[in-house]
C-alpha cells in the first residue's frame, strides 16, 4: 500500500486523472451492457429504448486504444529515464567492445523491466482467473441473465478444456501469450482469449513490452535504427489489422463495425507507436505561454471529440437511423454518412487507410493531452488517494465486471427497470466495489511478485559484474 501512495517526481496529475476517468467509463460501459435491465435482455437490450445512450456506450470501446496510448506514453518515459540513469552511472566507451557491452546491458535492463511488469500483472490476473474458473462455478447463479450461460458456462468450458495438442487457454492467458502462441501454433479456434476479459490485458502487456524494446533500441542505436524499425512495425500492423466489410453476411460473421474497434495487437500497435514517437520528443515544442497552451488544449479536446462523433455516426448505421425516436436531422446525417462510408469501403485498398484514419484524431489528441499534462507547467503535488486509485487501474478494470455479474446474476431476484439514475448508481457501485477488490487483490499478490522480482534482480546483478569490470577497465585505458 505504501508503494501505491508514494509519489514519483515525474508523475503528472493530468495522467492520473485520465486513468481514473477511463476507469469510470469502463464501469459505465459494462453497466449498460451487463446489467439485466427489464424488457431489455442481452448485449443490444437498450438499443431500441435508449438508442443514444446505447450508442455512446458502444463508442466507449475506444477506452482500449486509449489505455494502449496511455501505456505507451508512460512506458516510453519510464524505460527511457531508467536507461539514461544507468548510462550516466556506468559511463560509456566509444570502442566496439564498449558498444557491445552497452547493448547487452540495455538488453538486460529492458528484459528485467518487462519481467517485473509481467510479474506485477500476472499474479493478479492469475488470482482472478482462479475465481473465474473455480470459485464462480460454486455460486448459485440465476439462470435467466444471458451472461450466466455464456460467461460461466460455455466460456469456462472452452477456457479450461485441454486441446489435443498444446496448452489450455487459461494457461496461455495467464502467461499473457495466448494471441501470439495461438497465431503461431493454432491450438484453439478462437483468435482471442475467452477467459473472462483477459485478452485486453494480454494485449496491453504485449504493447508495453514492444514499446520498452523499441525504447531500448533508440537508447542503444539512436534514431537511425529506431525510426525505420517503428515505421516497419506500423506498416506490418496495418497490413494485418482486421478491416470492416459491411458487404459480408453479418449474421454469420458478426457486426462489421466491431472490426473498427477490436483489441488485437495489429489494431493497437499503430496508435501506440505513434504515441510513443510523440512522447519521446519530450514535448520540447510545447510553449510555456498560457494562451498557447490553452489553444493546444482546445485542439486536443476537439480531436478527441471528433473521434467520438465519427464513432457515433458509425454505430448509428442500421440502429439509430431506423429508430422512430430519433426523427430529424440526426437521422439524415447518419444515413448520409453511412452511404459515404459504404462507398469508401467498396475499395479494398481504402479500407485499411480508413480504419487507420479513424485512429489518427484520437491518437493525436490524446498525445497532445499527455504531452501537455507531462510538461513542467502542469506538474504539481498529487494527493495520495489519487495516486492509489490511478495505480489500481488493472484491478479495477478487471474486477468491476465480476461485481456487476454478481449483483445482477446472484443478488437481484428480478431485472431492474432501466433509468439514467439506476445506470449511474450501478456505475458508482461497480467502481467503488472494484476499487476495494483491487486493493485487496493487490495486497494479496504484490508481496509474491516483489519477492520473485527481487530474486530475478539479484540473479541479473550476479551476471553483470564481469562485463562491468571489463567495461570500466576499457574506459580507463
Amino acid at each position: 500500500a505504501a508503494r501505491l501512495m508514494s509519489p514519483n517526481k515525474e508523475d503528472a496529475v493530468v495522467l492520473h486523472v485520465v486513468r481514473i476517468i477511463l476507469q469510470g467509463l469502463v464501469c459505465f460501459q459494462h453497466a449498460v451492457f451487463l446489467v439485466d435491465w427489464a424488457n431489455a435482455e442481452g448485449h443490444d437490450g437498450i438499443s431500441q429504448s435508449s438508442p443514444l445512450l446505447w450508442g455512446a456506450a458502444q463508442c466507449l470501446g475506444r477506452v482500449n486504444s486509449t489505455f494502449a496510448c496511455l501505456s505507451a506514453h508512460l512506458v516510453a518515459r519510464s524505460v527511457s529515464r531508467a536507461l539514461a540513469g544507468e548510462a550516466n552511472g556506468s559511463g560509456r566507451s566509444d570502442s566496439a567492445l564498449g558498444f557491445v557491452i552497452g547493448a547487452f546491458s540495455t538488453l538486460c535492463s529492458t528484459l528485467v523491466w518487462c519481467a517485473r511488469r509481467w510479474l506485477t500483472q500476472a499474479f493478479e490476473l492469475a488470482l482472478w482467473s482462479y475465481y473465474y474458473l473455480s470459485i464462480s462455478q460454486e455460486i448459485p447463479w440465476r439462470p435467466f441473465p444471458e451472461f450466466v450461460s455464456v460467461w460461466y458456462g460455455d466460456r469456462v468450458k472452452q477456457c479450461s478444456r485441454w486441446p489435443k495438442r498444446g496448452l489450455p487457454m487459461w494457461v496461455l492467458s495467464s502467461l499473457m501469450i495466448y494471441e501470439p502462441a495461438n497465431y503461431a501454433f493454432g491450438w484453439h479456434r478462437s483468435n482471442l482469449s475467452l477467459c473472462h476479459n483477459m485478452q485486453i490485458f494480454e494485449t496491453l502487456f504485449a504493447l508495453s513490452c514492444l514499446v520498452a524494446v523499441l525504447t531500448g533500441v533508440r537508447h542503444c542505436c539512436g534514431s537511425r535504427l529506431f525510426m525505420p524499425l517503428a515505421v516497419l512495425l506500423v506498416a506490418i500492423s496495418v497490413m494485418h489489422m482486421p478491416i470492416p466489410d459491411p458487404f459480408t453476411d453479418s449474421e454469420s460473421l458478426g457486426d462489421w463495425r466491431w472490426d473498427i474497434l477490436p483489441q488485437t495487437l495489429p489494431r493497437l500497435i499503430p496508435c501506440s507507436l505513434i504515441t510513443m514517437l510523440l512522447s519521446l520528443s519530450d514535448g520540447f515544442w510545447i510553449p510555456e505561454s498560457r494562451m498557447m497552451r490553452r489553444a493546444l488544449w482546445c485542439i486536443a479536446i476537439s480531436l478527441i471529440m471528433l473521434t467520438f462523433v465519427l464513432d457515433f455516426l458509425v454505430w448509428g448505421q442500421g440502429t439509430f437511423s431506423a429508430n422512430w425516436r430519433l426523427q430529424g436531422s440526426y437521422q439524415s446525417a447518419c444515413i448520409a454518412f453511412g452511404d459515404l462510408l459504404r462507398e469508401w469501403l467498396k475499395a479494398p485498398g481504402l479500407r485499411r487507410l480508413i480504419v487507420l484514419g479513424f485512429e489518427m484524431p484520437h491518437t493525436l489528441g490524446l498525445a497532445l493531452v499527455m504531452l501537455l499534462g507531462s510538461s513542467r507547467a502542469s506538474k504539481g503535488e498529487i494527493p495520495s488517494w489519487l495516486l492509489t486509485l490511478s495505480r489500481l487501474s488493472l484491478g479495477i478494470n478487471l474486477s468491476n465486471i465480476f461485481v456487476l455479474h454478481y449483483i445482477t446474476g446472484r443478488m437481484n431476484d428480478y431485472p431492474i427497470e432501466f433509468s439514467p439514475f439506476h445506470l449511474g448508481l450501478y456505475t458508482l457501485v461497480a467502481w467503488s466495489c472494484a476499487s476495494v477488490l483491487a486493493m485487496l487483490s493487490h495486497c494479496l499478490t504484490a508481496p509474491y511478485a516483489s519477492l520473485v522480482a527481487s530474486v530475478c534482480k539479484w540473479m541479473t546483478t550476479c551476471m553483470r559484474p564481469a562485463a562491468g569490470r571489463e567495461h570500466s577497465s576499457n574506459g580507463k585505458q
Side-chain angles (χ1 to χ4, degrees), residues 45-286:
I46 64 170
S47 61
Q48 296 302 317
S49 59
S50 301
L52 295 179
L53 191 59
W54 180 85
Q58 290 282 15
C59 296
L60 291 180
R62 285 281 180 185
V63 296
N64 292 330
S65 56
T66 305
F67 270 116
C69 294
L70 182 61
S71 178
H73 173 84
L74 295 174
V75 169
R77 292 290 185 93
S78 175
V79 176
S80 181
R81 288 195 305 267
L83 294 177
E86 182 181 334
N88 293 333
S90 60
R92 282 192 174 184
S93 175
D94 295 333
S95 63
L97 181 60
F99 173 79
V100 172
I101 293 174
F104 178 76
S105 178
T106 300
L107 176 63
C108 289
S109 299
T110 305
L111 292 178
V112 168
W113 187 93
C114 294
R116 291 183 62 183
R117 190 174 184 86
W118 181 85
L119 288 171
T120 303
Q121 298 183 3
F123 276 82
E124 191 163 355
L125 292 173
L127 177 64
W128 285 105
S129 294
Y130 173 73
Y131 164 81
Y132 176 67
L133 296 175
S134 181
I135 298 177
S136 70
Q137 300 304 298
E138 305 298 328
I139 299 176
W141 301 100
R142 286 194 305 118
F144 303 109
E146 182 184 12
F147 70 83
V148 172
S149 59
V150 176
W151 269 67
Y152 301 100
D154 300 336
R155 280 196 170 193
V156 169
K157 293 178 182 178
Q158 295 187 49
C159 187
S160 57
R161 179 180 60 87
W162 280 82
K164 294 182 178 179
R165 56 187 181 90
L167 298 173
M169 189 179 293
W170 70 269
V171 174
L172 298 175
S173 296
S174 299
L175 296 174
M176 291 191 280
I177 58 171
Y178 176 83
E179 185 179 355
N182 193 57
Y183 179 80
F185 302 107
W187 291 335
H188 301 274
R189 293 182 180 180
S190 176
N191 295 327
L192 303 178
S193 176
L194 299 177
C195 295
H196 54 96
N197 52 345
M198 283 277 287
Q199 179 58 45
I200 182 59
F201 301 103
E202 175 190 324
T203 303
L204 292 177
F205 170 75
L207 288 172
S208 300
C209 293
L210 178 62
V211 170
V213 170
L214 287 176
T215 306
V217 170
R218 177 179 178 269
H219 172 80
C220 185
C221 304
S223 299
R224 291 185 178 180
L225 179 61
F226 164 72
M227 290 297 294
L229 185 60
V231 172
L232 178 63
L233 288 173
V234 170
I236 294 174
S237 300
V238 171
M239 291 299 297
H240 289 86
M241 71 167 55
I243 56 175
D245 188 359
F247 308 104
T248 56
D249 184 7
S250 59
E251 295 183 358
S252 60
L253 298 177
D255 198 316
W256 62 273
R257 289 165 291 188
W258 281 115
D259 288 331
I260 297 180
L261 300 172
Q263 54 191 23
T264 59
L265 275 173
R267 184 67 183 84
L268 295 178
I269 282 178
C271 62
S272 300
L273 295 188
I274 292 172
T275 304
M276 174 194 175
L277 293 174
L278 295 174
S279 299
L280 291 176
S281 66
D282 293 327
F284 63 89
W285 48 272
I286 299 293

Side-chain angles (χ1 to χ4, degrees), residues 4 14-31 60 62-64 66-67 70 74 124 197 201 385-401 404 426-436 438-439:
L4 290 175
V14 173
L15 300 185
H16 291 289
V17 172
V18 169
R19 260 186 184 170
I20 295 175
I21 291 175
L22 292 177
Q23 295 170 14
L25 293 178
V26 169
C27 294
F28 171 81
Q29 185 189 40
H30 288 165
L60 291 180
R62 285 281 180 185
V63 296
N64 292 330
T66 305
F67 270 116
L70 182 61
L74 295 174
E124 191 163 355
N197 52 345
F201 301 103
W385 64 268
L386 187 68
L387 282 173
T388 302
L389 289 175
S390 173
R391 292 170 178 172
L392 289 174
S393 287
L394 173 67
I396 293 174
N397 294 331
L398 182 62
S399 61
N400 73 84
I401 197 168
L404 290 170
Y426 271 87
T427 301
L428 181 60
V429 170
W431 181 80
S432 302
C433 294
S435 301
V436 175
M439 175 63 78

Side-chain angles (χ1 to χ4, degrees), residues 340-390:
L340 180 62
L341 184 62
R342 285 176 175 271
E343 287 296 325
W344 285 345
L345 293 177
K346 283 183 179 179
L350 284 178
R351 291 177 185 173
R352 302 185 189 278
L353 295 178
I354 290 173
V355 174
L356 188 62
F358 267 97
E359 283 291 344
M360 293 310 298
H362 175 256
T363 302
L364 295 177
L366 194 61
L368 266 178
V369 168
M370 290 185 289
L371 286 173
L372 288 168
S374 301
S375 61
R376 295 179 181 179
S378 298
K379 291 182 179 179
E381 186 176 354
I382 306 176
S384 58
W385 64 268
L386 187 68
L387 282 173
T388 302
L389 289 175
S390 173

